[in-house]
Amino acid sequence: MRKKLLNNLGLKLVSVFLAVVIWFTVVMISNPKDSVTFSGIPVNLVNTELLEGEDKLYEVLNNTDRVRVTVEAPRKVINQLRSSDVVAEADVSRLTEVNTIAINCSVLNSAIEISSITSNPDVVQLNVEEKASKWVNVKRNTVGEVAEGYMVYGSTSDQTRMEISGPESVINQIDHAGLEMDVTGASENVSGNVEIRFYDSEGNLVDNTTDIIKNADNMHMEVTVLATKEVPIEVTATGTPAEGYLITGTVECEPSTVVLAGTASALADISKITATVDVTGESEDEERSINLRSYVDDSIRFADRNFNGRANAVVHIEPSVERTLVIPGRNITFQNLPEGFELEFEEGQQNYRLRISGLNAAVSAVEQGAVQGTLDIGAWMQEQNISELNAGTYEIPIEFNVPGNVAIENEVSARVTIAEADEEDEE
């Protein structure tokens, strides 16, 4: 047996070697190696709670969490692989000092024999930041023009402040949250849910806010729209100034008009605001701050939100002056003399002295030559309770036609003789 085994040993070894080579060649020809590349494979980040535990936030840079994976394996394996069979992971616990994590790729079925598997890129790049939080004010704004004759009086929202948190660099950029509502053509209140946006201190929109944590994406906002109407402010003086002083009739008011806001029906009945200033006992110009709010209904508002609702009024007061006029007798006439009588002025009464008083401008404007006096005999008889006139000499008061803004300080009478008319005179 030994001789048989050792006989032609070299030839036998060559035969075995050739058999192995032929087998390997056949295998390679029937099932050769090949490779396939899958794009857009998502990289699953694991152990991210490690960053959260350190109160840090991360952001994937340059889309490095989507990779191209190349698998090398026998052709039969390659033909059966799908992108869903490929898994890519990056373990946050292996985060480097430059904030990169190596990507580990594999196939779901561990029984599948593959020669190699690689990804491009081969690391996930992160931006790691401290987590920050703060409270910001909620500011409301409107865009567009309301209907003519109306105005935006104000607005309200569910919250005036809100808490936000996120990457420190983003949080530091944000100055306030903003709501914006379109009121174009509105003639009544406008309300709705509005998207919350974030702005810096200069009012510019902060774009990179996708990682901001907030309690809501929208907030309810209501805009108050009111009708407007401009009305004058009319100030009148009441009371009597100190003795020897008069109200000039001139009242200055600043502002002289005010714009009111309210419902159209409430404004329809308002044509002006009338206020009063009491000048009792005053001897000089009286300046007063008037609270206009007390002269309008509670439902009416002032259109200018910065207006304090007060007007400054000045009532002008001047000393009363006196002047004595000399009225010639020819300016005196009589009327309502009973029939059958005649009247003559007593000789020596050619002029009458009349004292008048009032504001300097009014008193100075009186022309004494134009002042007329009248004896009203009928009125005098009624005052004296005289039912039947008898002939005689009487003192009868004279009524003078001075301007209404001038007062007569003394009573002036004319001494007259009333006699029965002669029959010849009657004829």
Side-chain angles (χ1 to χ4, degrees):
M1 179 63 69
R2 183 178 178 183
K3 289 182 178 181
K4 290 182 179 180
L5 291 174
L6 295 176
N7 188 31
N8 297 322
L9 179 61
L11 183 61
K12 291 177 179 179
L13 290 175
V14 171
S15 299
V16 171
F17 175 77
L18 289 174
V20 171
V21 171
I22 293 171
W23 175 84
F24 182 77
T25 302
V26 171
V27 169
M28 290 298 296
I29 292 174
S30 62
N31 191 20
K33 285 186 179 181
D34 203 348
S35 65
V36 64
T37 300
F38 300 104
S39 299
I41 300 299
V43 179
N44 182 32
L45 296 179
V46 297
N47 293 322
T48 56
E49 66 274 6
L50 296 176
L51 292 177
E52 296 172 0
E54 296 177 1
D55 215 18
K56 293 182 178 180
L57 297 173
Y58 67 88
E59 176 188 10
V60 177
L61 300 178
N62 303 320
N63 295 320
T64 53
D65 59 346
R66 290 278 176 174
V67 295
R68 297 171 68 248
V69 177
T70 300
V71 181
E72 184 176 323
R75 180 173 295 174
K76 287 184 179 180
V77 174
I78 293 296
N79 290 339
Q80 296 175 2
L81 280 179
R82 299 290 181 268
S83 62
S84 57
D85 297 322
V86 178
V87 176
E89 286 187 347
D91 191 341
V92 173
S93 64
R94 299 172 60 191
L95 181 69
T96 68
E97 293 183 357
V98 292
N99 293 330
T100 61
I101 308 173
I103 299 173
N104 179 42
C105 298
S106 62
V107 292
L108 288 174
N109 189 351
S110 58
I112 297 177
E113 294 185 4
I114 60 175
S115 300
S116 66
I117 182 168
T118 58
S119 69
N120 183 23
D122 58 355
V123 294
V124 175
Q125 300 174 15
L126 298 183
N127 175 40
V128 180
E129 292 189 55
E130 296 291 333
K131 181 180 179 181
S133 299
K134 71 177 179 181
W135 286 84
V136 294
N137 292 329
V138 177
K139 296 185 178 181
R140 300 173 297 275
N141 186 38
T142 59
V143 294
E145 296 292 332
V146 296
E148 186 176 356
Y150 289 81
M151 68 169 292
V152 172
Y153 185 76
S155 60
T156 58
S157 58
D158 289 344
Q159 302 177 53
T160 57
R161 286 173 59 81
M162 66 181 301
E163 186 178 21
I164 59 174
S165 60
E168 187 176 37
S169 62
V170 179
I171 294 297
N172 289 341
Q173 293 181 57
I174 296 174
D175 175 74
H176 64 273
L179 307 177
E180 190 173 86
M181 178 166 284
D182 189 352
V183 296
T184 302
S187 59
E188 58 184 14
N189 294 351
V190 181
S191 63
N193 291 326
V194 182
E195 180 184 359
I196 301 172
R197 297 180 178 179
F198 297 100
Y199 299 84
D200 62 21
S201 58
E202 296 181 355
N204 299 314
L205 185 67
V206 178
D207 294 325
N208 53 334
T209 59
T210 54
D211 294 329
I212 294 296
I213 301 171
K214 51 189 182 294
N215 60 357
D217 294 324
N218 298 282
M219 191 176 296
H220 187 77
M221 176 177 172
E222 182 166 350
V223 179
T224 301
V225 178
L226 298 177
T228 60
K229 186 176 185 179
E230 185 174 9
V231 297
I233 302 171
E234 183 180 279
V235 180
T236 58
T238 61
T240 303
E243 186 176 354
Y245 291 85
L246 296 171
I247 300 171
T248 67
T250 300
V251 180
E252 297 175 356
C253 185
E254 178 60 34
S256 59
T257 65
V258 66
V259 180
L260 302 178
T263 62
S265 58
L267 294 178
D269 297 331
I270 301 176
S271 59
K272 62 182 177 180
I273 295 178
T274 302
T276 59
V277 174
D278 187 358
V279 296
T280 300
E282 300 295 337
S283 59
E284 58 184 12
D285 292 350
E286 176 65 7
E287 185 173 355
R288 192 77 56 83
S289 177
I290 300 174
N291 182 12
L292 300 179
R293 168 54 60 193
S294 60
Y295 294 93
V296 295
D297 187 79
D298 291 340
S299 63
I300 301 300
R301 301 173 175 89
F302 298 109
D304 185 356
R305 299 292 295 270
N306 296 320
F307 179 52
N308 63 4
R310 307 193 75 87
N312 294 320
V314 179
V315 179
H316 290 275
I317 297 174
E318 293 182 4
S320 176
V321 298
E322 288 192 1
R323 177 185 173 194
T324 299
L325 305 178
V326 179
I327 310 301
R330 63 177 177 274
N331 286 11
I332 309 302
T333 60
F334 63 88
Q335 63 185 16
N336 297 324
L337 180 65
E339 188 176 353
F341 290 89
E342 59 184 10
L343 182 149
E344 289 185 1
F345 289 90
E346 188 174 280
E347 293 182 8
Q349 287 186 297
Q350 299 300 315
N351 295 311
Y352 300 89
R353 300 179 69 82
L354 176 67
R355 291 201 324 274
I356 61 173
S357 65
L359 297 172
N360 182 62
V363 170
S364 300
V366 176
E367 297 181 12
Q368 64 180 6
V371 175
Q372 302 290 323
T374 303
L375 300 178
D376 191 335
I377 307 303
W380 170 76
M381 290 175 61
Q382 288 184 353
E383 290 177 2
Q384 300 297 318
N385 200 21
I386 299 174
S387 59
E388 186 174 342
L389 185 62
N390 295 318
T393 301
Y394 300 96
E395 292 278 346
I396 300 178
I398 305 173
E399 296 178 1
F400 292 95
N401 65 329
V402 295
N405 56 356
V406 172
I408 296 176
E409 295 295 326
N410 64 318
E411 184 177 282
V412 180
S413 299
R415 189 175 181 83
V416 297
T417 299
I418 297 176
E420 294 183 7
D422 295 335
E423 293 183 4
E424 294 180 0
D425 293 337
E426 293 180 3
E427 293 177 359

